[in-house]
């Protein structure tokens, strides 16, 4: 669907008007914390319509909707050597602005990882998504999202009805913004419906493309910024991408300020506790302010109509005397499920042991519980593989995030052992909370074989000082199945009762041609076959023994005969 964009501010085309608009930014009031409309207006409205960098797409992903104008603190965060126990994000000391809600931060980083794989030439930094998320929605209103990343209530910009804003008639029948008459910017990254129709992505693999889901919105924003083969490591390309998102020089400068700030250090904070912005670029008093799309309050009397207050929809007093302005007491915000979690408990995790290259039979399972030891549903639990191992979860990842079910239980994906043997740790933590996690020890044992057989039955004979015509070839199995990549050792022993290395008789040669009678670091191939190097004989005659041992206990003894040739 072709997007329809327009400039939001009408008639502001002169330098003088632009100066007034910029000055008004510093005096503008903050959008309400509990509201859903951001009531924002473009600070760059003094610019002419259109943007040479938009590639013909018009005003941008947001329809050039208003945005938050707060700038980062003058003192940049100072990264410390420590890191978050849940995400590994650099922990900063100093201003709370450096904190990004856990689920929102996770969405930005997952979007960066996906773009790194699908569009590596774009070089998208997750900090750019964080900067745009900050100015567009205050990081989804400080991280007010559920376990799947969806905002608890829609984040909507003002209706684009041409009244102080661009005129964009409805393009989605209200499907995304709930407005069947005019379009409105939607979600944490503030996409207008006509843009979301083609730019939307499914970032959390739930089969839906929801602009109110931070995973979907962050991934869509990443792809939007990476269009036209842009390389965001080039400043001119990055500037063009940001201006394409919202065509305003002030917007560009604000986003770049937050980008630089986040690059110097951020840390994870619990969902719902992020710092909220306090200034909006919506500087026109006549423009709609933030409002909640819930049921509006009814005027107390049928008196002269009055102008609804921003955010409430209520009416003014019917008496001629203006009432003293009062702020309604905010409704108490119920805690999120994540905020009610007190600890994690084990949920009958089995013994975590597997042979190299195979799947573990048991899975790590935990239960998120409240102080009353009741299971808490809809909580994100992160499982992380820690240690010197090449084991992964199914799919090849070392980190997996799972949402708890109705009983509060989250089960990690199946573990798959790599080739490295030994112990490693699987750690379970609650995303968005600084709580003690649970550590599980997992063990990878070497591949095994319980049976060794020769692949041929030709007698192995040689004359003194000669070489054996046939090489010894064996096949290893374990419980009847092929035992590939199993470690083995071959030794020419003194006798069946004395497994020490023989000092005479047949021998192998090393790379320098020197005599050796013990071979280590042998491994069967994928078909379980082990073919030994060529054997040679010294001047000793008689019957000699070659013994082969594998991990798992398989043993085979092979006879080697050295005799003078018949006359």
């Amino acid at each position: 669907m072709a997007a329809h964009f327009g400039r939001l501010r009408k008639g502001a085309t002169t330098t003088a008007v632009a100066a007034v608009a910029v000055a008004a930014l510093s005096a503008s009031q903050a959008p309400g914390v509990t509201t859903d409309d951001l009531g924002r207006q473009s600070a760059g409205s003094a610019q002419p319509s259109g943007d040479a960098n938009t590639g013909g797409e018009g005003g941008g992903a947001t329809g050039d909707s208003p945005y938050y104008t707060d700038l980062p603190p003058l003192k940049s965060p100072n990264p410390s050597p420590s890191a978050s126990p849940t995400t590994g994000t650099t922990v900063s000391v100093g201003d709370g602005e450096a904190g990004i809600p856990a689920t929102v931060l996770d969405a930005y980083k997952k979007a960066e990882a996906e773009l790194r794989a699908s569009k590596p030439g774009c070089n998208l930094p997750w900090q750019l998504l964080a900067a745009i998320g900050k100015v567009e929605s205050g990081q989804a209103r400080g991280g007010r999202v559920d376990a799947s990343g969806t905002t608890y209530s829609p984040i909507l910009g003002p209706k684009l009805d041409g009244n102080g804003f661009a005129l964009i008639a409805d393009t989605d029948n209200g499907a995304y913004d709930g407005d069947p008459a005019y379009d409105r910017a939607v979600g944490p990254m503030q996409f207008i419906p006509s843009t979301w129709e083609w730019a939307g992505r499914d970032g959390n693999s739930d089969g839906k493309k929801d602009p109110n889901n931070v995973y979907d919105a962050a991934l869509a924003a990443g792809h939007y910024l990476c269009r036209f083969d842009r390389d965001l490591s080039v400043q001119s390309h990055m500037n063009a991408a940001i201006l394409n998102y919202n065509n305003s020089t002030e917007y560009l400068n604000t986003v770049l300020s937050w980008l630089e700030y986040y690059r110097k250090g951020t840390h994870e904070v619990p969902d719902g506790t992020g710092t909220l912005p306090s200034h909006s670029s919506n500087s026109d008093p006549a423009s709609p302010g933030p409002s909640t799309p819930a049921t509006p309050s009814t005027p107390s009397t049928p008196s002269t109509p009055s102008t609804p207050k921003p955010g409430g929809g209520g009416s003014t007093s019917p008496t001629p005397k203006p009432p003293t302005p009062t702020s309604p007491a905010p409704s108490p915000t119920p805690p999120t499920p994540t905020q009610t979690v007190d600890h994690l408990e084990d949920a009958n995790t089995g013994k975590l042991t597997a042979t190299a290259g195979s799947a573990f039979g048991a899975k790590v399972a935990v239960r998120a519980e409240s102080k009353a030891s009741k299971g808490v549903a809809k909580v994100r639990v992160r499982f992380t593989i820690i240690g010197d191992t090449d084991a992964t979860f199914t799919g090849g990842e070392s980190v997996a995030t799972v949402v708890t079910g109705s009983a509060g239980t989250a089960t990690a994906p199946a573990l798959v052992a790599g080739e490295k043997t030994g112990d490693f740790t699987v750690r379970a933590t609650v995303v968005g909370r600084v709580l003690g996690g649970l550590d599980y020890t997992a063990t990878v044992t070497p591949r095994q074989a319980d049976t060794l057989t020769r692949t041929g039955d030709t007698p192995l004979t040689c004359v003194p000082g000669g070489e054996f015509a046939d090489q010894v070839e064996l096949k290893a199995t374990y419980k009847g199945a092929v035992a590939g990549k199993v470690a083995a050792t071959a030794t020419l022993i003194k006798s069946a009762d004395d497994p020490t290395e023989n000092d005479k008789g047949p021998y192998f040669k090393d790379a320098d041609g020197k005599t050796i009678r013990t071979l280590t670091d042998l491994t069967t191939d994928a078909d379980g076959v082990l073919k030994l190097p060529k054997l040679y004989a010294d001047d000793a005659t008689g019957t000699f023994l070659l013994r082969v041992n594998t991990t798992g206990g398989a043993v085979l003894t092979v006879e080697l005969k050295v005799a003078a040739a018949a006359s």
Side-chain angles (χ1 to χ4, degrees):
M1 179 184 293
H4 175 204
F5 300 92
R7 301 305 300 158
L8 298 187
R9 189 71 70 179
K10 297 179 178 179
T13 58
T14 66
T15 303
V17 174
V20 171
V22 173
L25 296 181
S26 61
S28 60
Q29 297 299 311
V33 172
T34 59
T35 60
D36 291 297
D37 285 8
L38 298 181
R40 307 170 308 163
Q41 188 145 345
S42 174
S45 55
Q47 298 178 10
S49 296
D51 179 3
N53 297 317
T54 62
E57 288 296 338
T62 70
D64 291 344
S65 291
Y67 57 90
Y68 288 116
T69 60
D70 300 56
L71 293 174
L74 293 177
K75 184 178 180 181
S76 296
N78 299 314
S80 71
S82 60
S84 164
T86 57
T87 64
T89 305
T90 302
V91 176
S92 306
V93 295
D95 198 281
E97 289 286 3
I100 298 178
T103 299
V104 179
L105 179 61
D106 188 51
Y108 296 149
K109 292 189 173 184
K110 276 186 167 54
E112 180 199 56
E114 196 277 345
L115 267 299
R116 191 186 306 123
S118 63
K119 296 184 178 180
C122 178
N123 294 305
L124 171 76
W126 67 260
Q127 292 90 341
L128 176 58
L129 296 176
I132 291 176
K134 181 69 174 181
V135 301
E136 291 295 345
S137 68
Q139 310 297 20
R141 292 201 210 95
R144 293 289 298 164
V145 296
D146 63 18
S148 67
T150 302
T151 57
Y152 283 112
S153 55
I155 300 176
L156 300 174
K159 61 177 61 179
L160 303 178
D161 57 3
N163 183 21
F165 300 92
L167 175 58
I168 304 181
D170 176 66
T171 61
D172 66 328
N173 293 319
Y176 295 122
D177 55 15
D179 191 329
Y182 300 98
D183 272 352
R184 307 169 76 163
V186 183
M189 305 303 276
Q190 288 291 277
F191 280 93
I192 59 172
S194 56
T195 303
W196 184 261
E197 186 67 25
W198 58 266
R201 294 292 193 280
D202 179 11
N204 61 350
S205 302
D206 64 354
K208 298 183 294 183
K209 298 176 183 179
D210 182 2
N212 285 300
N213 181 279
V214 70
Y215 287 95
D216 295 358
L219 184 58
H223 278 278
Y224 189 93
L225 293 165
C226 286
R227 294 182 308 156
F228 312 126
D229 293 325
R230 292 188 181 112
D231 179 357
L232 300 186
S233 64
V234 178
Q235 191 61 50
S236 61
H237 286 208
M238 178 176 286
N239 292 352
I242 297 171
L243 286 170
N244 195 179
Y245 206 89
N246 192 320
N247 189 16
S248 160
T249 301
E250 287 83 0
Y251 180 86
L252 170 66
N253 292 335
T254 303
V255 169
L256 290 177
S257 295
W258 281 106
L259 170 62
E260 181 65 18
Y261 181 75
Y262 287 142
R263 276 176 163 167
K264 292 180 178 178
T266 61
H267 60 276
E268 179 183 288
V269 298
D271 290 342
T273 65
T275 302
L276 292 169
S278 58
H279 295 85
S280 168
S281 64
N282 178 21
S283 57
D284 185 352
S287 299
S291 62
T292 306
T295 304
S297 56
T298 305
S300 56
T301 63
S303 57
T304 304
S306 57
T307 303
K309 295 180 181 179
S315 62
T316 59
S317 171
T319 61
K321 182 179 179 180
T324 302
T326 58
S327 299
S331 301
T333 302
T336 66
T338 300
Q339 291 170 331
T340 65
V341 176
D342 178 71
H343 59 276
L344 289 175
E345 285 288 338
D346 176 59
N348 298 319
T349 299
K351 186 176 181 180
L352 300 173
T353 303
T355 303
S358 65
F360 284 73
K363 297 180 180 179
V364 177
V366 299
R367 187 169 185 258
E369 295 187 353
S370 64
K371 285 186 177 180
S373 296
K374 293 184 177 180
V376 183
K378 298 182 178 180
V379 173
R380 296 174 65 81
V381 176
R382 181 178 292 126
F383 298 94
T384 306
I385 295 175
I386 301 171
D388 183 18
T389 180
D390 54 357
T392 64
F393 293 113
T394 301
E397 300 293 332
S398 60
V399 178
T401 303
V402 179
V403 179
T404 58
S406 58
T409 301
T411 302
L415 284 164
V416 179
E419 294 304 319
K420 289 186 178 180
T421 59
D423 294 343
F424 64 92
T425 299
V426 179
R427 178 169 296 164
T429 54
V430 176
V431 177
R433 291 295 305 276
V434 182
L435 296 173
L438 293 181
D439 283 356
Y440 295 85
T441 299
T443 303
V444 178
T445 59
R447 297 171 185 263
Q448 301 179 48
D450 55 17
T451 304
L452 272 176
T453 57
R454 279 192 65 195
T455 59
D457 55 5
T458 304
L460 299 169
T461 61
C462 181
V463 297
E467 60 182 54
F468 287 80
D470 297 313
Q471 291 177 243
V472 178
E473 186 176 277
L474 312 171
K475 185 165 185 177
T477 57
Y478 182 69
K479 295 182 178 179
V482 168
K485 299 182 180 180
V486 175
T489 301
T491 306
L492 290 151
I493 60 176
K494 290 183 176 180
S495 69
D497 298 326
D498 185 356
T500 58
E501 182 181 292
N502 206 339
D503 55 1
K504 61 182 180 180
Y507 61 90
F508 300 104
K509 290 182 180 180
D510 64 12
D512 298 324
K514 295 181 180 179
T515 298
I516 55 172
R517 289 188 169 90
T518 298
L519 297 176
T520 58
D521 298 327
L522 300 173
T523 306
T524 62
D525 65 15
D527 296 322
V529 174
L530 174 63
K531 190 171 186 178
L532 299 182
K534 185 179 289 291
L535 278 162
Y536 302 87
D538 60 13
D539 294 335
T541 59
T543 299
F544 301 90
L545 300 180
L546 169 66
R547 179 164 292 175
V548 182
N549 300 271
T550 70
T551 304
V555 179
L556 179 67
T557 302
V558 180
E559 285 190 352
L560 306 172
K561 293 184 178 181
V562 180
S567 59

